[in-house]
Structures are given as structure tokens and as C-alpha cells.
Amino acid sequence: MTRNSLERRKVFFGRLASLSVIAFVVALALLSAACNNVNLTGEGGGTVSLAIDEVLASEIRSAIPAPLRSTTGDNSTYTLTASIRGDYSEEKTEFATEASLSGVTFTFKGIPTGKDIILDVTVKVGDNTIWYGNSGKHMVVSGINKLNVAVGRVSGVLLWNNDSVKIAPYGKHEEAGTKVLDVPDVLPSWCFDHLRNLYVITSTGVSMYDSQGDGTYYSTPSNFIGSDFSYLSYDSDSRTTLYGMSTSQISKLIANSPSEPIINSLSNHGINTPVGFAVHGGSAYVADQSSEDDNGIPSITISSFNLTTQDFTLGIAFKLPTVFGSQPTYQMIYQEGALYLLLSCVKDSAPNIYSVGAVAKIDAKTLTLDTSFGTNGYLGLVSTKREVSYKDSSGQDQSYSVYAAGNSTEEVFSKPLGFVAIMPKKLVIADAGCIVSEEIVDQGGVSKLKGDAVSRIVTVDLETQSLGFDDLNPNQYYWTGNPLGSSVEISSDTSSDTSSSSF
């Protein structure tokens, strides 16, 4: 073989080797791209983990019920349950003592990437739920997904009827023996602080009820003088001060002392009909009602006061949906960085029948309605009017215009009464109005709509904007009489199967 032939063979095999390397690199690139595509389409896997550190463990320990603490000391057993919901679901439970609480770890493997999830953590001591937190929404990515949960205690749940007011352990509202508060009839106004202690307006002033962590509450000597307040709010950010608002002023409440006015005249700032009040981070937020159109449909303006400098900011008015009429009822709280205004309207103005309510979300910085929440800013509101035809006593065709749920499966409010518990990432609301069917019944020659009493606890998940319903027996709690009696015949059997707790 000549020298030239040898050179040509070397060149040929060299090029062949280069082509093989290139082909191998290309194959690896294609394989890598394929793997990435698998992950992006949700067929890969991620690991979601949560570790209880000492900060979180300390918060959980501090929430243990005092009666249990006095009997078990440091020997309490904590049951921690972590559950994933959303596009993927899985649940795990761990047990810990005081000493081993810090260091508990939950690990969920093989979760498809691209899935949107929320991780909930519930802590119990015995049968008592003492703590709840969740991670907020998270999209699973390949590899380790380390999550954190919001720190927050769970309060008891306010329950009332015509005779008494109680606070039941969270999730155990039917438990006998809950503390009966010394408050007449239905609570006029109340609020919780960051430790879930309860403050209520009574005929003589404002009283504090000390939370024991297990749903039982006891009146303390810490009473606040002054009974002209319509609303209460505790600044859970600064964790120091309770405030009250009357129709004319905002005051700081001091235990066993007269209240101290902070804002002397709301009317000087154009606030003439205050209907909601909340305090957070040293700022007071006031909802003011005014009529805007010829039909008297209200508009709401949210204003804020810096309680140190007294600087005033006026928000932009927003008009309520017409179903609320001219005199809805209200309650407002600050939670998870926003203001939530609860609205309710139940009235019989035949042929128009109303049993509706909603939660509106307000941006606490811009003081404007957050129209991305619910439907145009309102969650849980009946969206359509129903016409129900009937013949009157003379045989003439008539109809009722109904603004209310037609059956119990509709995820809407009937008559929200107030925020009755505090927990992270959720709103807990008492609801007691009417479900109105399209069936007409004859009552002594008068054609009435057939209805059912509603008495329930509704939870609003602030991450998913979904509603959860926990039915109560109307003869026990919240239901205090048929507000639609002249046009709606409520079933004589107002009992309700109590479903398992959904919160």
C-alpha cells in the first residue's frame, strides 16, 4: 500500500470517527430534549417536602389547649396531618411529642411536574384541632420542592340561637359542653385577636373572652368601657391594640379604662354611613355606604386612616349589584393582605323575593374592588333571576321573581351573618337564609313558594375561591325565624342532616 493510500485511509477513518462522535452527541441532545419534554408535559416526577422547624414547632406548642397542658404537661401527643390537594392528592400523618415536634418531615415523591397543588397541615392534640396552615398555590417542578406553610392558629366557631351564644371547638360544632357566653341574644359585633381571643360588644361595654385553645372560652377581668361602638377590630399585625368604631369616631380601647378617641369626626372626611371596619398594620379601614342612583342602590367607598399620623386616603366608590337593594347588612375584616366585605340581603317585597349574599374582596393598597375575585369582585352571589309562575285566587296568571338558591347544591350564600372563626387562608362564615324552590303550595287560598331553611357554616378557600358547606340543624343555630314568611312557606321539618365537617 502506497503512502498516499495510507494517508487517505487515515483521513477516511478520522472523518468516520468524528461523524460517530457527532451522532452520539446529537443522540444525547435528543434524549435530553425528550426528557425535558416529558417533565414539561407533567409525566416526570417531583418531590414535595415540608420540614417542621423550631419556629413553627414553637408556634404549634403555644397553641396547645391550656386545660390539656395542665393535665399532660410536656407529654402531649401531637397528630400532624399533611395533605396535598389541587391537581394531585395525597395525605400523610405523623405523630410527635413536645421534644420531637421540631424535625418532623413530610415527603411526597413522584408527583407529576406541572401540577398545581396546595399543601395543608393540620395539627391536633387528642380530638382538638389546635393549628392549621397551608402553603398557598405551588406548581410542582422536577427535583425537590421545599414548601413552607403560613403560621396561624385556629379559633373556636361562634354559634348562636335566640337564647344563647356559644363558641364550639373548631370542626366540632355539635360537641356538648362548649362555653355559653354571657351575651344576650345574637352578638351585635365581635372580633378575634392574633391569639384567637374573642372581643364582643355587650350592653355595658366590650368584654374579652380568653381562648383556651380547645374551643372553650372564659370571660376575663379585662373589660373595656364604652358601649357606643358598632364595630370592633384588633390590629393583629402590631398585636397590641383593640379599636372600636362608632358612627362618628374611631377609638383605641384600653382595658379597664375609658376609650381614647383617635379619629374624632368621620363626617369631616365625608364618612356618614360607616358599615364596615378593620385595622391592620396601624391603619384603619372604613367602608362607607352612599346612595348613587334613583333606585337607591348603594355604592361603597373604602377609606383608610393612618392611626399615628391621621393621614386620610379616600378610595374609589363601587356600586353594589342591584340584588342587595338599598339596605344590605355588612361586616368587614382584613385577612391575607386584603379586605373582605361580607354582604347580605333577605327580603320579601313580592313579587320580588331575595335571599342572597356574597363576599367582596378589596385591594388594601388601592382601596378598590378586586374584580378578579369571584364574579366581578363578588364570590358566592346568585347570578340569575328565576321567574316562577302561578295562578292567584282569581285565576289570573302571576309570577314571583326569585333571587335565591333553588337547591342545596348551588354554591351560593343565602344570608351570610358574619365571620365566625379565624384560620389562615380561609374565611369562615355563618349563613342562615332560605333555599327557594319553584314549587307553589296553597296556604289558605294564598299561593306561596316552597322553601327550606338554611343553617350552615361556609368556608371560603382564598387560594382556590371555592366554597365548602357544613350543614347545621336550623333548630339549633343561626336560624332565628323565617324572614320570607308572607311569600315563602318554609318546610315544617327544618331539621338537617349534619354533614361531616368540611373545614
Side-chain angles (χ1 to χ4, degrees):
M1 185 177 293
T2 65
R3 182 176 181 179
N4 289 338
S5 297
L6 288 173
E7 292 296 331
R8 285 196 297 270
R9 286 172 63 89
K10 289 180 180 179
V11 171
F12 171 78
F13 284 112
R15 290 176 177 174
L16 182 61
S18 297
L19 289 173
S20 298
V21 171
I22 292 171
F24 179 70
V25 172
V26 170
L28 282 178
L30 291 174
L31 180 60
S32 176
C35 290
N36 287 337
N37 285 336
V38 168
N39 285 334
L40 288 173
T41 56
E43 296 181 12
T47 297
V48 169
S49 69
L50 170 73
I52 306 296
D53 61 15
E54 182 54 35
V55 174
L56 187 53
S58 177
E59 171 67 21
I60 294 171
R61 291 188 198 104
S62 68
I64 189 172
L68 289 180
R69 173 79 65 190
S70 64
T71 57
T72 64
D74 296 337
N75 298 318
S76 298
T77 298
Y78 297 81
T79 303
L80 299 89
T81 300
S83 57
I84 293 176
R85 58 188 167 96
D87 294 341
Y88 178 88
S89 60
E90 190 175 350
E91 181 176 290
K92 292 188 176 184
T93 297
E94 298 286 347
F95 300 94
T97 63
E98 290 269 324
S100 65
L101 193 58
S102 177
V104 171
T105 300
F106 293 95
T107 303
F108 300 86
K109 297 180 179 180
I111 302 176
T113 58
K115 298 293 187 182
D116 289 323
I117 65 165
I118 296 173
L119 179 65
D120 296 297
V121 178
T122 302
V123 181
K124 290 185 176 182
V125 173
D127 292 330
N128 299 304
T129 300
I130 64 167
W131 193 90
Y132 165 82
N134 76 45
S135 64
K137 285 185 180 179
H138 173 78
M139 187 180 76
V140 178
V141 298
S142 180
I144 303 297
N145 296 248
K146 292 184 178 180
L147 301 186
N148 297 308
V149 295
V151 173
R153 297 184 182 185
V154 177
S155 75
V157 181
L158 282 171
L159 302 165
W160 63 78
N161 53 32
N162 285 321
D163 301 318
S164 63
V165 178
K166 300 180 180 181
I167 304 181
Y170 197 87
K172 297 172 64 180
H173 50 261
E174 294 296 343
E175 181 173 290
T178 52
K179 178 66 179 179
V180 179
L181 303 183
D182 185 21
V183 180
D185 207 353
V186 176
L187 293 175
S189 183
W190 64 89
C191 71
F192 294 90
D193 65 16
H194 66 289
L195 296 176
R196 303 315 184 232
N197 299 313
L198 175 72
Y199 303 83
V200 296
I201 296 175
T202 68
S203 58
T204 58
V206 177
S207 295
M208 172 184 172
Y209 293 85
D210 183 34
S211 169
Q212 301 303 300
D214 61 349
T216 58
Y217 283 67
Y218 297 91
S219 180
T220 73
S222 298
N223 290 307
F224 303 84
I225 301 171
S227 58
D228 60 340
F229 301 113
S230 302
Y231 299 92
L232 297 174
S233 185
Y234 191 93
D235 190 343
S236 292
D237 182 59
S238 64
R239 302 188 174 191
T240 56
T241 310
L242 176 69
Y243 294 90
M245 183 179 73
S246 66
T247 56
S248 60
Q249 64 184 23
I250 297 173
S251 300
K252 179 190 294 185
L253 277 65
I254 304 169
N256 303 310
S257 300
S259 59
E260 175 186 325
I262 303 297
I263 305 298
N264 287 304
S265 177
L266 293 175
S267 61
N268 285 347
H269 298 279
I271 300 173
N272 297 302
T273 311
V275 294
F277 178 58
V279 179
H280 182 79
S283 292
Y285 301 90
V286 179
D288 184 50
Q289 174 185 299
S290 60
S291 294
E292 187 172 277
D293 61 15
D294 293 338
N295 296 318
I297 303 303
S299 289
I300 299 295
T301 304
I302 308 296
S303 301
S304 68
F305 294 89
N306 183 306
L307 294 174
T308 300
T309 66
Q310 298 192 18
D311 288 345
F312 174 72
T313 303
L314 180 67
I316 299 174
F318 55 91
K319 187 177 178 180
L320 296 181
T322 57
V323 295
F324 288 116
S326 59
Q327 292 296 322
T329 58
Y330 306 87
Q331 190 181 24
M332 188 167 72
I333 64 170
Y334 182 102
Q335 189 163 332
E336 312 297 339
L339 296 161
Y340 293 93
L341 183 67
L342 191 62
L343 302 108
S344 176
C345 175
V346 178
K347 65 179 180 179
D348 179 358
S349 55
N352 297 310
I353 308 298
Y354 301 87
S355 186
V356 297
V359 177
K361 181 179 181 180
I362 294 99
D363 187 310
K365 294 181 179 179
T366 64
L367 305 180
T368 57
L369 182 68
D370 183 348
T371 56
S372 68
F373 185 73
T375 302
N376 298 321
Y378 299 91
L379 182 66
L381 182 63
V382 171
S383 59
T384 58
K385 174 179 69 173
R386 292 179 290 127
E387 295 290 341
V388 181
S389 300
Y390 68 97
K391 291 186 181 295
D392 62 20
S393 57
S394 62
Q396 297 296 313
D397 290 332
Q398 303 290 349
S399 67
Y400 284 110
S401 296
V402 180
Y403 302 83
N407 58 70
S408 59
T409 63
E410 289 187 56
E411 293 197 351
V412 296
F413 289 103
S414 64
K415 182 187 177 184
L417 305 173
F419 301 102
V420 291
I422 299 295
M423 70 181 303
K425 305 291 185 180
K426 291 186 179 182
L427 307 177
V428 185
I429 298 165
D431 186 44
C434 300
I435 292 174
V436 182
S437 73
E438 298 188 10
E439 182 180 348
I440 298 292
V441 295
D442 185 284
Q443 291 291 317
V446 178
S447 295
K448 291 188 176 184
L449 289 159
K450 187 175 181 180
D452 292 304
V454 171
S455 182
R456 59 197 180 187
I457 297 168
V458 181
T459 59
V460 178
D461 189 309
L462 297 178
E463 296 291 341
T464 63
Q465 297 187 23
S466 59
L467 305 182
F469 297 88
D470 198 16
D471 293 331
L472 307 176
N473 186 332
N475 285 324
Q476 285 185 294
Y477 302 119
Y478 300 145
W479 179 261
T480 56
N482 179 14
L484 303 175
S486 61
S487 298
V488 179
E489 179 65 23
I490 298 297
S491 172
S492 57
D493 179 14
T494 58
S495 63
S496 173
D497 292 333
T498 302
S499 63
S500 60
S501 177
S502 60
F503 48 83

